[in-house]
Amino acid sequence: MGIFKKIGPGILIAAAFVGPGTLTVCTLAGVRFGYTLLWALTLSIFATIVLQGMASRVGLVTQRGLAGVVKKELKNPWLRNTVIIIILAAILVGNAAYEAGNIGGASLGLAQLFQNQELTAWNPLIIGILTFFLLWMGTYKMLEKVFIGLVATMGLCFVICALLAKPSAMAILKGALVPQLPTESLLTVIALVGTTVVPYNLFLHASLVKEKWKSETALKSVKWDTIISVSLGGLVSMAILITASAAPIQEVTGAADMARGLEPLFGKMATYIMSIGLLAAGITSAITAPLAAAFVASSCFGWNANMQDKRFRMVWAVVLFFGVFFLSFDIKPIEVIQFAQVANGVLLPVMAILLLWMVNRKSVMGQFRNSTAQNIFGLIIVVFTLFLGIKSIFKVIGLF
């Protein structure tokens, strides 16, 4: 049990990438392609552990946010300002757009849980108020405890659903370890990776690590926190895909379709379990998206603010407001979300390259620079994120 005591910021990262978007994409992948795309999640988990591991190390050693390190180390004013603008645009605008999806997913979970469609119009406001309260009252230690509870609930719900579906163990093993690319599955693979390897989580992780630990002596704890937490998050994603593969679901239009698909097979119990999982997934992501935006703004503008700072609270409040606003007034922020996808498509490879550069600089990391093996893995992932970024941009602008 000693290892589990090391879990800290990583659990917030796991909670951030297992949101309603991940639930929808994993359900879609399972319904359309069965277990054959599980390998994409295996690859994504590995890439996430490597990138988040580097980001958390930078945060611990420098006691700065990633944007602050970039500002300090990039000496060319034009290059520095360009990178900071990309970061701010992708994180602030992107997270405001994605926040609507997070709150929407939690609202669907709440509506299905209480089977009361009359509440649906009020659900975004209810979720927004709950999120506001947790962020306003939250210290790092409080949020950590809340997230451990929510992720445990979410994980238990989805794993129970996967077991209820009685999947084939051999098919799961083959799907997780043997790469296959069925016809018309490439964009689904990109979506699976894109919902796991999330650019804003790199900023969030570096900032949260320095909230919890203040000395390089905690490097081992940071490493195990990242490995355990990201692996648990990946297990949840896999459980969702496995459930969708084994369950009699015909069509997927959103995050709630899994619950409806399981009901004929397992009755109301399955619907309630899946609804609780969806509610927990939505709330966790609804908290982490504004939180990440606030940390990035603080780092970019050099505020050096804590979580109770007025400026810090103003940033997350604005992101949260737009998430609730889009949903409450039934606004479809398609153009904003498309911009967010493009911005994140640019930001992911940019940050992967910058991370690799930062963890090899003596002025940043001193004796804690990357090893040769870490650099090899890092370079492979940089190439991978470049491919992912280019494809996501082409997808949005309609070239593929």
Side-chain angles (χ1 to χ4, degrees):
M1 293 297 292
I3 286 178
F4 288 94
K5 289 181 181 178
K6 300 180 189 298
I7 289 181
I11 205 70
L12 276 76
I13 303 307
F17 73 72
V18 184
T22 298
L23 179 55
T24 301
V25 170
C26 289
T27 302
L28 191 67
V31 169
R32 289 186 179 176
F33 305 106
Y35 305 116
T36 57
L37 298 185
L38 276 170
W39 65 269
L41 285 175
T42 304
L43 180 65
S44 302
I45 294 162
F46 173 75
T48 303
I49 287 172
V50 172
L51 288 177
Q52 296 294 159
M54 289 195 289
S56 59
R57 250 188 317 135
V58 172
L60 179 69
V61 172
T62 65
Q63 289 294 298
R64 289 172 175 263
L66 291 185
V69 176
V70 168
K71 280 179 67 179
K72 182 174 180 289
E73 294 299 316
L74 285 178
K75 306 302 181 185
N76 183 296
W78 181 87
L79 180 60
R80 180 175 62 244
N81 292 337
T82 301
V83 170
I84 293 299
I85 288 168
I86 291 172
I87 290 170
L88 278 171
I91 300 298
L92 297 182
V93 179
N95 284 14
Y98 292 139
E99 184 70 352
N102 296 330
I103 294 172
S107 299
L108 282 172
L110 192 62
Q112 291 208 341
L113 190 60
F114 291 102
Q115 299 290 300
N116 185 354
Q117 295 306 311
E118 291 181 8
L119 286 175
T120 303
W122 290 96
N123 285 355
L125 189 58
I126 293 169
I127 298 299
I129 291 169
L130 176 60
T131 304
F132 183 91
F133 174 77
L134 288 170
L135 283 167
W136 185 270
M137 299 299 294
T139 60
Y140 168 75
K141 287 184 179 179
M142 176 208 157
L143 285 179
E144 187 180 281
K145 289 176 182 176
V146 168
F147 271 73
I148 288 172
L150 286 171
V151 170
T153 302
M154 176 173 66
L156 189 62
C157 288
F158 292 136
V159 169
I160 287 172
C161 287
L163 293 173
L164 284 174
K166 296 180 180 177
S168 163
M170 286 305 297
I172 290 170
L173 200 60
K174 182 181 177 183
L177 300 177
V178 181
Q180 301 172 70
L181 206 62
T183 306
E184 296 186 353
S185 66
L186 180 60
L187 288 180
T188 306
V189 170
I190 292 170
L192 285 169
V193 177
T195 61
T196 309
V197 189
V198 183
Y200 82 72
N201 280 346
L202 299 172
F203 297 92
L204 182 59
H205 204 172
S207 295
L208 290 174
V209 161
K210 68 184 181 65
E211 290 282 323
K212 184 176 178 75
W213 292 295
K214 302 297 181 185
S215 167
E216 293 94 342
T217 56
L219 275 170
K220 191 173 181 181
S221 295
V222 171
K223 175 185 172 183
W224 280 111
D225 171 48
T226 303
I227 293 171
I228 293 169
S229 299
V230 172
S231 298
L232 287 173
L235 179 65
V236 173
S237 297
M238 286 184 166
I240 296 166
L241 190 152
I242 289 165
T243 305
S245 301
I249 304 170
Q250 300 301 319
E251 188 178 352
V252 180
T253 56
D257 289 331
M258 179 93 82
R260 287 192 285 268
L262 289 174
E263 187 173 334
L265 201 60
F266 305 115
K268 286 288 185 185
M269 180 186 70
T271 303
Y272 288 132
I273 291 172
M274 187 59 71
S275 298
I276 291 168
L278 176 56
L279 176 61
I283 290 173
T284 55
S285 295
I287 294 170
T288 53
L291 195 61
F295 275 123
V296 169
S298 178
S299 189
C300 283
F301 294 120
W303 294 339
N304 196 26
N306 59 38
M307 291 174 64
Q308 279 71 46
D309 186 274
K310 289 180 182 178
R311 295 164 298 182
F312 189 92
R313 284 175 164 172
M314 180 187 68
V315 174
W316 63 248
V318 168
V319 171
L320 179 59
F321 168 79
F322 278 108
V324 174
F325 179 80
F326 286 142
L327 282 169
S328 298
F329 292 91
D330 201 28
I331 297 170
K332 307 296 183 187
I334 299 301
E335 291 82 6
V336 182
I337 290 174
Q338 285 183 331
F339 172 80
Q341 288 174 331
V342 172
N344 279 333
V346 173
L347 183 60
L348 182 57
V350 167
M351 282 313 303
I353 291 166
L354 284 172
L355 260 180
L356 199 57
W357 173 69
M358 280 188 271
V359 291
N360 281 286
R361 282 182 70 80
K362 192 172 183 179
S363 61
V364 176
M365 299 299 290
Q367 61 178 312
F368 302 106
R369 286 173 291 173
N370 262 9
S371 65
T372 302
Q374 287 171 323
N375 279 331
I376 291 170
F377 288 138
L379 283 169
I380 292 169
I381 291 168
V382 163
V383 173
F384 178 61
T385 56
L386 275 169
F387 168 77
L388 178 69
I390 291 167
K391 289 293 289 185
S392 66
I393 293 166
F394 283 171
K395 179 187 174 185
V396 168
I397 63 178
L399 293 182
F400 282 101

